[in-house]
Amino acid sequence: MALPPNFLDELRTRTPLASLIGRRARLAKSGRNWKACCPFHNEKSPSFYVYDDHYHCFGCGAHGDAVSFVMQSEGAGFMEAVERLASEAGLDIPKPTPEAAARDRTARDLHAVMAAAEASFSRRLYLPEGRPALDYLIRRGLTPETIRDFGLGWASGTRGAIAGDLSPEGITPAQLLEAGLLREGEGGESPRDFFFNRVIFPIRDRRGRTIAFGGRTLGDGQPKYVNSPETPLFSKRRALYNLDRAKEAAFRGARVLAVEGYMDVIALHQAGFTGAVAPLGTALTEEQLQEIWRLHPEPVLCFDGDAAGGRAAARVATLALAQLAPERTLRLATLPGGEDPDTLIAKSGQRGFQAVLDAAQPLSEALYTLVAGGTPPATPEARAALRHRLEEAARTIPDKSLGAEYRRVLLDRFFAARPRPGVKPPPPRIARRAPDPVAAREDAARCALAILLANPWLIPQVEEALAGLDLPGGPATRLQNAFQAWLSGPHALDSASLIAHLAQTGENDALAWATRPEGLPQAAQPNTQPGDAENGWWHFFLRLRGEAALIDDQRAAERDWIETNDPGAALRLQRLTEALAAQRRGEANEAEGDSPFA
C-alpha cells in the first residue's frame, strides 16, 4: 500500500526521535542534538548521533528516520513500523480508497508537470527573449552557478508559451490548470498563462521537489511579485522559499535565518549563509514558524530597522509566544535603516551581515522593547498599563515554567527602568540609523585585542582561536600577526614587555588604535581579575566568530576525536568547549548585572 507523503511527513513530525531512540540507547546531550553508543553495533565510545529528523552512526553507517529505526531495531516491516508509530502518535492510517489512490496519482503527475515547467522556464532564460531577465540577475550580483543552482528562469511574453513547450511531453491544459501554470480564461476565452513576462523562482518542498513558482516583473507593473495559486501540491501558508537547501545546511550546522524575499535568500546563500528561508510574499504564518523550528530550535529572524520592521517584529513575537517552549525560541536581528539582506551583502559583504547576526537579540531581551516601544512611560497610569502588557505577553506562553521565567525577566527590566523621585524622565530619544555593522565588527576586534594587550598571559591559551579569526584589515590584522610572532620568542608574559616589543617593531599606530580608551571594556583594564579578562575575551571572540560557527567547529572537533582518538583533536575540542562555556558564564553575569564587559 502506498501511503501519501504528507501522512508520512506528519507521522515523522509527531514522533520525537530522541524519545523513541532513548528507549533503546542511553542518550546524552551534545549541543542541540544527542549522542549515544550505537544500538546496532558494539562500541565503547559514542558515535551514534540523533538529530531532529534523523539519526546517523559514524561507526557503522546506520542512518534513517523514526520508521527506519523501528524497522532496524525490531526487525519490523515498513507497514508494521508505520502502524505502531501511528498508534502512538494518535494518527489514523489513510485507507486505500480509490479517491486516495487517485489523489496520490495526481500528486505524482503534478510533480512531473512542475519539473517539466521548471526546465522550460530555465531554458527560456538563456534564449534571446530571456536576455533582459538574465542581465537583471547578473546586475543583482548573482553568479552563473547561483542562477543554475536555484533553477531561475524566464516566463515568456508569448501567449500559450508554457502549453506549447510542454505539450510534446504529453502534458495537457487540464494538468497545467491544476498545477497553477494556466488560469481560466474570461468570457469563454481559452486558458491563459499564469506567469507572463516574469523572472521565475522555483519553490520547492522539503524533499527538493518543485511545487510552485514565484514570478517577478522587470518593469513597473503591479504586482511586482506573484506566486502560484493554491494547488494540491502548494499551500502558501505552509511553504517556505529555499526550505530544501536550508534543511541540509542546518544539518551541517548552518544558522537558520528567516528573511523577507527571494533575492535576500539567494544573495545570502551565495555569500555563505546557506540556512536562509523566506515566506512567500506574506507575513510569517504559524505553520511556517513551525516549519522553521523543525530546522533549528533557535532561528534568527531578520527585520528592517524602520517602523514597518518594528511592527513586523512585534507581530512575529506575538505569534511565537503562543508556541514557545523550553526547547525552541527565536533571536531577532535588526538591519540598518534602509537596508535589506540583499543590499547589505552588496555594500558590506559577508562581514557586514555577520555583524548583524552577531548582534541578534534573544526573544527574551527583544520582547521588552517591542512591548514598551521607544518612549519610557512617564506617569503612574502609563507604567501600570505597560506592566499589564508585559504580564499579558508572558501569560500567552503555554509552558507555565517558561512563562514564569519570561514574566520575571520582563518585570526586572520594568522595575530597573522605574524613575527615581526627583529625577525627570529622560527626553524621548531621537531615532537614529542603526550602527554600521562593519564599524561594529572593527570595534569588537579592537576590544578583543586590547584585552590581550592588558592581559598577555591569555595569549597562549587563546592562540589557536585568535589565529582562526578573520579580522578586519589594517591595525587589527597587524596586531593579530604580531601577537603570534611574539609568542615564538623568549618574552615575559606581561603587558609592559608586549607593548615595548610592539613599539620596537613599528606598531605604534596599531597600539594607539587598540588602546584608545573610548569604548574599551572593563576586561581591557590592567587590574582586571583573570576570570573577568578571560570571559571578556571570549565574549568578543564569539561576536567576531559567531556562535553558530563555533558550535559547528565544536561538532567537527568532536567527530574528529571520536573517529581518530587523536590528542590534538581532543585538545581542540576542549578549547572550543571552554570558549562556549566562558561565553555562557559571561551572559549569566550580564543577566545578574555583574558584567565584565561594561
Side-chain angles (χ1 to χ4, degrees), residues 54 126 187 200 261 274 283 333 386 536 554 561 580:
H54 72 284
Y126 298 97
I200 293 295
T274 53
L386 172 57
Q554 184 191 39
W561 174 56
L580 284 165

Side-chain angles (χ1 to χ4, degrees), residues 307-350:
R311 290 192 296 271
R315 186 193 141 332
V316 171
T318 302
L319 185 69
L321 287 174
Q323 306 177 63
L324 219 56
E327 67 276 6
R328 64 182 183 222
T329 185
L330 299 172
R331 296 181 78 88
L332 303 182
T334 302
L335 294 159
E339 301 285 3
D340 55 35
D342 180 22
T343 60
L344 184 59
I345 289 286
K347 290 180 181 177
S348 304
Q350 186 184 52

Side-chain angles (χ1 to χ4, degrees), residues 378-435:
T379 66
E381 293 82 3
R383 283 184 56 78
L386 172 57
R387 178 172 178 176
H388 176 76
R389 294 197 302 274
L390 294 171
E391 292 179 333
E392 186 63 30
R395 276 196 294 271
T396 62
I397 299 174
D399 185 283
K400 298 305 179 186
S401 60
L402 182 61
E405 288 297 317
Y406 263 73
R407 181 179 184 276
R408 180 185 64 79
V409 168
L410 292 171
L411 290 185
D412 284 351
R413 290 276 302 274
F414 174 80
F415 288 117
R418 173 183 291 170
R420 289 176 291 172
V423 177
K424 293 182 180 180
R429 294 179 63 185
I430 299 173
R432 294 181 295 179
R433 293 190 64 180

Side-chain angles (χ1 to χ4, degrees), residues 255-276:
R255 181 170 287 187
V256 174
L257 320 171
V259 293
E260 184 177 347
Y262 302 123
M263 290 301 298
D264 294 326
V265 167
I266 298 173
L268 287 171
H269 183 94
Q270 185 171 278
F273 301 96
T274 53

Side-chain angles (χ1 to χ4, degrees), residues 510-531:
L511 274 172
W513 170 79
T515 56
R516 190 177 71 251
E518 294 84 0
L520 285 184
Q522 180 64 35
Q525 303 305 317
N527 59 351
T528 301
Q529 293 296 314

